[in-house]
Amino acid sequence: MTESLGNDPQQDHYSAPVNPEWPPPPSYQPPMGTAAGMAPEPAPRRKRNRGPVTLLAAVAIVAAAVGGGTAYAFQELTGKTTVASSGTTTNVVPSSKRGDVAAIAAAVSPSVVEINATLSSGSSTGSGVIITSNGEIVTNNHVISGAQSIKVRTSDGKSYTAQVVGTDSSKDLALIKLQGASGLKTASLGNSSGVQVGDTVVAIGSPEGLTGTVTSGIVSALNRDVTVSTDENQGQNQNGDGNWPFQFGGRQFNGDTGSSTTTYKAIQTDASLNPGNSGGALIDASGNIIGINSAMYSSSQQSSSSSDAGSIGLGFAIPINTVKSDLAKLRSGATG
């Protein structure tokens, strides 16, 4: 600073003061109109600029802290087709409506679709979650495994043809893309690492083809080892009943899983899940997707007794953090 001031050509404009008790002249020329002999008025403009700069810096820090939440807000404002992802809790529903099943259903239902896949030996019905406004949808691999064609119906009744983008049978996940879609309502992908046993959850899907069915319950356990089949023919053998076979706790449910299987850590819920819920959304109290529903016990296959009918509160969902970590692979067109 001393060097730059010493080189200021305007310093030569002033001579030494005649009267020694006067203050030394400033190193810059006083503003026009300043009375002779008076010190120039301070320049408040520089001081005023510090406030906005500090504010912007603070905003940048906050934006970095909220991470994916900021990305979600940016998407809503700009209409970009990036994944609506939230690293922290985003209030999809108003804070005053947190945990209100009706409010959650109203906010999230437009982001959940019904999927109908035509197979070589039948059909398969499941659900999916819209993650981009131009029609990227996450679902279970077993919903579309072996599909010759895929039809998707949104909550407003519109129908689309879909193509498979990528699959990952080791996690029972798939990504499909609607043809000619735009302006779709995207889901907010939450943070499953913050889920706790006892948390309120809502499930939305298309059980038995009943589009937009809503059920609710709690998270009843975490990190359950669920084993499912990776054999494409297993899906075809279900002939559309949606009862995908799986193993849990040493027992097999909904049929034989076969010799080709994979195991993943799942969220357990007592929210009622039925055939057709596979690939649908498991949602937290704030309206964020915390899991993709993937396996459920169907007692109707085990016994015809009326005492065994209905949900027994044994359903599983793939944690949404697993889904988010797998998206790049799915988008690359990976299969397997």
Side-chain angles (χ1 to χ4, degrees), residues 211-236:
T211 304
T213 296
V214 178
T215 57
S216 64
I218 63 168
V219 172
S220 52
L222 296 170
N223 298 315
R224 293 298 202 195
D225 288 325
V226 175
T227 300
V228 297
S229 174
T230 59
D231 186 358
E232 178 178 296
N233 293 325
Q234 285 294 104
Q236 294 179 358

Side-chain angles (χ1 to χ4, degrees), residues 165-223:
V165 176
T167 61
D168 187 351
S169 60
S170 67
K171 296 181 176 66
D172 195 17
L173 291 172
L175 183 69
I176 64 175
K177 176 72 164 55
L178 304 187
Q179 304 299 300
S182 63
L184 301 179
K185 172 72 172 179
T186 59
S188 171
L189 307 187
N191 183 5
S192 52
S193 66
V195 175
Q196 298 182 339
V197 173
D199 283 353
T200 298
V201 289
V202 173
I204 302 178
S206 300
E208 307 293 353
L210 300 174
T211 304
T213 296
V214 178
T215 57
S216 64
I218 63 168
V219 172
S220 52
L222 296 170
N223 298 315

Side-chain angles (χ1 to χ4, degrees), residues 2-284:
T2 302
E3 180 181 355
S4 63
L5 289 175
N7 292 333
D8 189 341
Q10 296 193 40
Q11 280 189 326
D12 298 334
H13 181 78
Y14 298 95
S15 60
V18 175
N19 196 333
E21 59 263 18
W22 286 7
S27 59
Y28 53 86
Q29 185 175 358
M32 295 299 292
T34 301
M38 294 179 62
E41 293 182 3
R45 190 173 182 177
R46 289 186 179 179
K47 294 182 179 179
R48 285 199 300 266
N49 284 345
R50 291 174 186 168
V53 171
T54 305
L55 178 60
L56 289 174
V59 170
I61 293 172
V62 172
V66 300
T70 301
Y72 174 73
F74 179 79
Q75 182 207 25
E76 289 299 298
L77 291 172
T78 62
K80 299 296 183 183
T81 55
T82 54
V83 176
S85 178
S86 172
T88 55
T89 300
T90 300
N91 289 325
V92 177
V93 296
S95 298
S96 61
K97 294 289 187 179
R98 189 178 188 278
D100 186 313
V101 176
I104 295 170
V108 184
S109 288
S111 303
V112 181
V113 301
E114 178 185 323
I115 299 174
N116 291 282
T118 300
L119 312 173
S120 61
S121 60
S123 63
S124 174
T125 299
S127 306
V129 176
I130 301 171
I131 62 170
T132 63
S133 60
N134 65 346
E136 281 189 339
I137 293 174
V138 170
T139 186
N140 288 141
N141 178 60
H142 74 254
V143 171
I144 52 86
S145 179
Q148 297 178 333
S149 65
I150 302 172
K151 297 291 184 182
V152 172
R153 184 170 62 174
T154 55
S155 64
D156 59 3
K158 293 182 179 179
S159 295
Y160 297 88
T161 298
Q163 300 293 328
V164 176
V165 176
T167 61
D168 187 351
S169 60
S170 67
K171 296 181 176 66
D172 195 17
L173 291 172
L175 183 69
I176 64 175
K177 176 72 164 55
L178 304 187
Q179 304 299 300
S182 63
L184 301 179
K185 172 72 172 179
T186 59
S188 171
L189 307 187
N191 183 5
S192 52
S193 66
V195 175
Q196 298 182 339
V197 173
D199 283 353
T200 298
V201 289
V202 173
I204 302 178
S206 300
E208 307 293 353
L210 300 174
T211 304
T213 296
V214 178
T215 57
S216 64
I218 63 168
V219 172
S220 52
L222 296 170
N223 298 315
R224 293 298 202 195
D225 288 325
V226 175
T227 300
V228 297
S229 174
T230 59
D231 186 358
E232 178 178 296
N233 293 325
Q234 285 294 104
Q236 294 179 358
N237 289 338
Q238 298 311 308
N239 292 323
D241 60 13
N243 293 311
W244 188 249
F246 70 97
Q247 299 176 25
F248 171 70
R251 298 175 60 194
Q252 295 202 50
F253 301 90
N254 304 338
D256 184 7
T257 57
S259 59
S260 179
T261 61
T262 185
T263 301
Y264 57 83
K265 298 288 186 181
I267 298 171
Q268 181 179 313
T269 179
D270 70 349
S272 179
L273 301 180
N274 295 285
N277 272 113
S278 289
L282 188 68
I283 310 156
D284 69 12

